[in-house]
DNA sequence: AGCATGACGGAGG
DNA sequence: TCCTCCGCCATGC
């Protein structure tokens, strides 16, 4: 199984109304440095893969028209996305802590 | 087989 | 605290 297949599998496990960063997905794959490849794998997104639930570390959606579509889909699931294309960190999968005080970026 | 690229992340200045 | 540079790894040429 190619690595991107695993990415698709993991992304498919992301519950609706929730988002995950590339780094998080990469970490789930076993290598946090494979974040780039994660985005790359999503580039070949399948119909069954909720690629829009994956954003970067800052919570910003993908560039281009795809970003607009992503914002639309996320909002449809109840995720708060600013018009600038930034997803609220509160909608991230696990990070409960470390977001109350410092939490730069 | 090697070089260049990329929907990212983290460290450094 | 904000901006810039380097690094990792799979895929394409």
């Amino acid at each position: 199984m190619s690595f991107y297949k695993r990415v698709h599998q993991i992304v498919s496990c992301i519950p609706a109304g929730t988002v995950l960063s590339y780094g998080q997905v990469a970490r789930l794959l076993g290598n946090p440095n494979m974040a780039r490849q994660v985005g790359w794998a999503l580039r070949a997104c399948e119909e069954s893969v909720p690629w829009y639930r994956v954003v970067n570390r800052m919570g910003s959606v993908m560039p281009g028209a795809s970003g607009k579509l992503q914002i639309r889909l996320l909002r449809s699931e109840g995720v708060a996305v600013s018009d600038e294309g930034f997803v609220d960190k509160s909608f991230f999968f696990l990070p409960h802590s470390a977001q109350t005080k410092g939490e730069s970026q």
Side-chain angles (χ1 to χ4, degrees):
Chain A
M1 181 188 287
S2 302
F3 100 99
Y4 59 82
K5 197 63 175 297
R6 271 175 276 177
V7 174
H8 291 174
Q9 193 172 252
I10 293 175
V11 174
S12 299
C13 292
I14 303 175
T18 316
V19 296
L20 205 60
S21 67
Y22 296 99
Q24 273 304 100
V25 177
R27 190 169 295 187
L28 290 173
L29 286 170
N31 297 315
N33 26 317
M34 206 160 53
R36 294 180 103 168
Q37 279 56 259
V38 173
W40 199 0
L42 268 66
R43 189 184 185 193
C45 63
E46 301 173 5
E47 296 299 312
S48 312
V49 183
W51 57 272
Y52 54 88
R53 290 179 191 158
V54 183
V55 297
N56 66 20
R57 193 72 182 83
M58 297 184 291
S60 60
V61 300
M62 301 169 192
S66 302
K68 294 296 180 182
L69 175 62
Q70 183 174 26
I71 294 173
R72 186 191 307 171
L73 292 170
L74 288 174
R75 285 177 175 171
S76 299
E77 297 190 338
V79 177
V81 186
S82 66
D83 196 64
E84 303 156 24
F86 283 91
V87 178
D88 191 285
K89 317 76 176 179
S90 304
F91 291 89
F92 270 68
F93 198 52
L94 41 111
H96 306 293
S97 41
Q99 89 168 73
T100 322
K101 50 189 192 71
E103 217 293 298
S104 44
Q105 300 184 65

